[in-house]
Amino acid sequence: MKRTSYIVAAICMALLAIVIAAARSIPQHFEKKIEATDDRTFFCRKVHGRLEPAGKLYKNQPFYAIQYNKNWYVTEIGGKPYYIYQQRVKELNRSFTLSPLASPKAIQTVRPKENIWVYQAPRFGQPIGVLYKNTPVQAIATHGDWYQIMFAGTTAYIHKKQVAGLATEVPIIVYHHIVTYS
């Protein structure tokens, strides 16, 4: 019985050390309003440790950056981190209103069938950016023929006919083995 207690205590101490180390590596809160400086402002996602283009932001549209890493601003699109090269954006000092950064709970994940435009309202008009084919993005609501998404800190919309379909994310818990002591 004592041996089990020591093992449990050792595991708890190891987990605590891991949590403390992870907490120290979390960057401090960073929130900047940014704007694309031209229509070639690409944002990228990490795939197998490499950055690949996932879409682009359009010029003169305000967005939020949630982090800054060396040469990259990090923003959130559909609940996932995306990277924007810092030379393609500028920080804004003027005030404007964006949706709150806290992302609402996603209802489903969608993937564009082709490169699609992203709009600021649920209607066709002036696009604020582009999502590339197969870039996963979380839909947070539906509005008729439109999915509402979070696009770089602002509420945005994509048309339902332009996405390949829905995938509901389900958490899966895996137990490798269970040990009981008597």
Side-chain angles (χ1 to χ4, degrees):
M1 188 69 162
K2 278 188 175 182
R3 183 175 184 203
T4 304
S5 299
Y6 289 128
I7 293 172
V8 169
I11 291 171
C12 289
M13 294 288 284
L15 289 174
L16 181 61
I18 291 169
V19 168
I20 290 171
R24 287 184 181 151
S25 67
I26 296 173
Q28 293 183 353
H29 180 71
F30 177 91
E31 183 179 305
K32 292 284 184 188
K33 295 172 188 172
I34 59 172
E35 179 178 274
T37 55
D38 61 43
D39 285 339
R40 296 172 299 160
T41 305
F42 297 98
F43 56 87
C44 303
R45 66 183 175 147
K46 280 190 179 178
V47 177
H48 304 296
R50 292 181 25 205
L51 291 174
E52 75 174 28
K56 61 183 174 178
L57 306 175
Y58 284 167
K59 185 177 180 178
N60 300 325
Q61 294 293 325
F63 299 101
Y64 270 119
I66 58 171
Q67 199 176 0
Y68 180 73
N69 271 340
K70 269 190 175 176
N71 297 321
W72 301 89
Y73 283 99
V74 181
T75 191
E76 237 180 39
I77 297 176
K80 306 283 186 203
Y82 286 84
Y83 302 85
I84 306 165
Y85 191 54
Q86 59 97 8
Q87 290 186 345
R88 294 283 185 189
V89 296
K90 64 181 177 182
E91 290 186 14
L92 297 177
N93 293 326
R94 72 178 196 269
S95 63
F96 60 89
T97 304
L98 286 178
S99 304
L101 270 178
S103 294
K105 178 108 173 96
I107 56 169
Q108 291 169 319
T109 300
V110 296
R111 289 181 183 267
K113 291 189 260 188
E114 58 204 11
N115 296 351
I116 63 171
W117 283 314
V118 178
Y119 299 94
Q120 198 145 21
R123 64 180 181 277
F124 292 107
Q126 183 67 33
I128 61 171
V130 174
L131 278 174
Y132 288 168
K133 180 180 179 177
N134 293 324
T135 299
V137 65
Q138 295 177 340
I140 55 176
T142 58
H143 296 275
D145 290 337
W146 296 85
Y147 288 117
Q148 181 182 353
I149 63 171
M150 290 304 291
F151 189 74
T154 187
T155 302
Y157 299 87
I158 55 177
H159 199 272
K160 285 182 178 179
K161 289 184 179 179
Q162 295 177 317
V163 297
L166 300 173
T168 303
E169 293 183 12
V170 178
I172 298 174
I173 300 172
V174 177
Y175 294 100
H176 294 283
H177 60 275
I178 299 174
V179 179
T180 59
Y181 294 98
S182 53

